[in-house]
Amino acid sequence: RRADAHRRIAAALELRYLHAPAAAEVVGEHYRRAGEAGKAFPYLTAAARRLRDRSQPADAWELYTLRGSLEGLAARLVTERQRPDAIASVKNAFDRLERAVAAESHADVAAADAGLHKTIVIATGHARLQEQYRLLEQQIRRYILLTNASIVDLSQMVPAHRPLVEAILVGDIESAARLAQEHNAPEV
């Protein structure tokens, strides 16, 4: 029901603001919330590119370092605690990424990529860490969309994430924390 409302809002905004680049993020976000990843992707990618074009390199560096710190802490906590439900949720999120890559859909890969990172944060059970991550989530999602849109061979997404997930699954705390923190270094 809520998805239908988001779908209708997105369609109305799409017609009204067809040639307004500033509306792309709003339209894309409504399509995303409606579960329409294919329709959301071009709008969110356009919004991410617009943000990139207006951003300074310092903005990307600040987001990368803050995101890396939060995700590094999250990976450390999940790996230390080894709660079966948390480990299973990380494994399931990685499986979704593998399926999205196999389907060769940029939109689904971007959603699964963001979902994997968010799942690791949620799996901590750390409410304050989750709240801080939520404050950055839209910026992180745009960043992922922007960087993933330039990837020609989506199959590289699985090996880019596998060492992090494996470190979490086997309980290698230091590697998990380091890999999560450094995960996006090549993109900055």
Side-chain angles (χ1 to χ4, degrees), residues 5 8 13 15 17 26 41 48 55 59 72 86 97 116 129 132 145 157 164 180 184:
R8 287 192 304 275
L13 291 171
L15 290 174
Y17 298 104
V26 175
F41 184 72
S55 296
D59 292 333
L97 177 63
L116 173 59
L129 176 59
Q132 293 306 308
L145 275 167
M157 294 299 289
L164 168 60
N184 301 295

Side-chain angles (χ1 to χ4, degrees), residues 65-75 121 129 132-133 136 140:
T65 55
L66 186 54
R67 177 185 176 195
S69 295
L70 295 175
E71 290 182 4
L73 175 59
V121 172
L129 176 59
Q132 293 306 308
Y133 196 81
L136 295 173
I140 291 170

Side-chain angles (χ1 to χ4, degrees), residues 69-137:
S69 295
L70 295 175
E71 290 182 4
L73 175 59
R76 174 180 296 284
L77 294 174
V78 170
T79 308
E80 280 176 347
R81 294 179 179 169
Q82 286 291 303
R83 288 188 0 249
D85 60 324
I87 298 303
S89 68
V90 171
K91 175 73 173 104
N92 290 338
F94 183 69
D95 291 345
R96 281 191 295 278
L97 177 63
E98 287 182 312
R99 286 191 302 275
V101 167
E104 298 183 0
S105 166
H106 271 86
D108 292 343
V109 169
D113 184 0
L116 173 59
H117 293 279
K118 183 177 180 179
T119 296
I120 294 168
V121 172
I122 291 170
T124 65
H126 192 298
R128 286 186 173 93
L129 176 59
Q130 292 172 22
E131 181 58 31
Q132 293 306 308
Y133 196 81
R134 262 191 296 278
L135 292 172
L136 295 173
E137 188 174 358

Side-chain angles (χ1 to χ4, degrees), residues 6-7 37 46 54 58 60 83 87 89 94 114 125 129 137-138 142 154 164 174-175 177-178:
H6 283 290
R7 190 175 294 107
R54 293 185 340 199
R83 288 188 0 249
I87 298 303
S89 68
F94 183 69
L129 176 59
E137 188 174 358
Q138 291 307 314
R142 282 190 299 254
L154 289 174
L164 168 60
E174 294 308 316
S175 292
R178 179 183 49 76

